[in-house]
Amino acid sequence: MSGRHCRPGTLRVDYGFRSTTSFLWGLVCIGIIVILIIYNCWFLYVPYMTWLYFDWSTPEQGGRRSNWVRSWTVWKYFKDYFPIHLIKTWDLDPSHNYIFGFHPHGVLVAGAFGNFCTNYSDFEELFPGFTAYLHVLPFWFRCPLFREYLMTSGSVSVSKKSVSHVLSKEEGGNISVIVLGGAEESLDAHPGKFTLFIRQRKGFVKIALTHGASLVPVFSFGENELFKQVNNPEGSWLRTVQEKLQKVMGFALPLFHARGIFQYNFGLMPYRKPIHTVVGRPIPVHQTLHPSPEQVEELHQTYMEELRKLFEAHKRKFASWLFGVGLHSAVPSSVPCLDDFPPFAHALPSISGDKPPVRKPPVKATFSELS
């Protein structure tokens, strides 16, 4: 078992804003503050730094969303570019709070952002009476200026305090969207392959029990098809460097590429691949203020089984390129699989037509339970 743990009070899950693009934007925002200080523009940075001091805990108290920002026309183009679709399979009760477990992470997590952080998705129509909060790595809320933009989209911190705040609404109607795979999963986001990291992720189950919030598995088909990633198998020098950087900085930096603006051979623009984000059946959770390890494990197993059923029910409709005649040309020479979620392995046929081998799942990064 890996020795990597998260800071106490922080869920070991995060969102695609850890990507290279957001990392650069964060550096730009920090650079602006540094320039203001160097050129002694105190009348600009002093008021802002004072504001930042008093506003520091806002990302853990529901954030500060802006319908104006969420309604920017650019998000409509963003949604239509792929395009992004939201599919509901079950009605939810607005008098309850829910945790959406989002899978897979992919590189960009475009499905999570497009569906839950903009006003151009079908979320309000499909789930009337609900407010969705996308939980993001706390690091990004420590970046001056960038944190302000991040909160306007409806993103909040993924700390224990933040998740508890969202799920504590007595009248219900709140949804915590958590990308459970986190940084480790983004490093395995390759086209034609699903690799989920969930076997050791149990903190979200414990907090669901504590608040009595129903769990809902969400699978976003097409998420891994948006970028190609530089080959980084376990044990390679690149993977070793990425994991060390992740340990130091708290987020991963996958080396990805796709297409350009005017050509399709190379660039950082994602490929135009449809994304279908399917919201599964809710798992009722009875509130238990002090859940036992046995209760956490039982609910965790139930969640994994519901996630497997969700994938099985929709794989041929939204991931048809993995099956049938086009399989040989659609996937690489290796058998697509879900290394860390064996129930998925038998669902994906091998290229030769033989029964696909089920590899022993490696134990990837632990998930520190909430304390």
Side-chain angles (χ1 to χ4, degrees), residues 44-67:
L44 292 177
Y45 72 80
V46 169
Y48 177 74
M49 298 305 290
T50 303
W51 156 263
L52 187 63
Y53 175 80
F54 289 102
D55 192 61
W56 191 254
S57 60
T58 298
E60 294 185 331
Q61 297 174 352
R64 187 170 47 248
R65 69 178 57 214
S66 166
N67 280 325

Side-chain angles (χ1 to χ4, degrees), residues 25-34 36-37 45 48-49 51-53 56 138-151:
W25 272 113
L27 289 179
V28 169
C29 292
I30 293 175
I32 292 175
I33 296 297
V34 172
L36 291 177
I37 294 175
Y45 72 80
Y48 177 74
M49 298 305 290
W51 156 263
L52 187 63
Y53 175 80
W56 191 254
F139 170 84
W140 298 116
F141 295 106
R142 301 182 188 124
C143 295
L145 300 180
F146 184 67
R147 69 189 291 276
E148 315 303 337
Y149 156 73
L150 201 54
M151 282 191 286

Side-chain angles (χ1 to χ4, degrees), residues 25 63 123 127 131 150 155-156 180 213 237 274 288 290 306 336 338 368:
W25 272 113
F123 176 80
F127 301 99
T131 302
L150 201 54
S155 299
V156 293
L180 298 176
W237 69 269
T288 307
H290 303 286
E306 287 297 325
L338 282 151
S368 299

Side-chain angles (χ1 to χ4, degrees), residues 97-290:
N97 296 314
Y98 296 84
I99 293 180
F100 279 14
F102 189 94
H103 312 269
H105 184 289
V107 173
L108 186 63
V109 197
F113 180 82
N115 284 313
F116 305 117
C117 291
T118 75
N119 289 339
Y120 290 101
S121 75
D122 296 326
F123 176 80
E124 292 186 0
E125 179 182 346
L126 297 176
F127 301 99
F130 283 97
T131 302
Y133 295 84
L134 187 60
H135 292 276
V136 181
L137 195 69
F139 170 84
W140 298 116
F141 295 106
R142 301 182 188 124
C143 295
L145 300 180
F146 184 67
R147 69 189 291 276
E148 315 303 337
Y149 156 73
L150 201 54
M151 282 191 286
T152 61
S153 69
S155 299
V156 293
S157 174
V158 77
S159 67
K160 175 184 176 181
K161 182 179 179 181
S162 176
V163 177
S164 295
H165 177 87
V166 173
L167 299 178
S168 296
K169 187 178 179 182
E170 294 184 1
E171 58 270 30
N174 278 354
I175 297 175
S176 282
V177 183
I178 305 176
V179 185
L180 298 176
E184 292 84 0
E185 196 169 286
S186 69
L187 295 179
D188 274 313
H190 296 275
K193 178 182 177 183
F194 293 110
T195 303
L196 301 187
F197 292 74
I198 188 176
R199 186 177 296 277
Q200 302 297 326
R201 308 297 171 95
K202 301 178 182 179
F204 74 102
V205 175
K206 186 173 181 180
I207 200 169
L209 284 165
T210 302
H211 291 275
S214 298
L215 290 173
V216 181
V218 177
F219 203 95
S220 193
F221 293 91
E223 202 74 51
N224 285 354
E225 309 307 309
L226 306 184
F227 295 94
K228 293 179 181 178
Q229 193 172 161
V230 176
N231 192 31
N232 59 342
E234 290 282 354
S236 65
W237 69 269
L238 176 58
R239 186 59 167 264
T240 301
V241 171
Q242 288 175 321
E243 291 177 345
K244 287 184 178 180
L245 287 175
Q246 175 198 325
K247 185 176 181 181
V248 173
M249 299 186 297
F251 56 91
L253 290 175
L255 297 182
F256 58 88
H257 60 90
R259 54 162 291 183
I261 299 177
F262 301 110
Q263 47 80 30
Y264 297 89
N265 296 323
F266 186 83
L268 295 179
M269 283 189 64
Y271 293 114
R272 298 190 69 177
K273 301 289 185 178
I275 298 172
H276 294 89
T277 303
V278 186
V279 180
R281 184 179 72 88
I283 304 170
V285 177
H286 177 71
Q287 185 174 16
T288 307
L289 295 180
H290 303 286

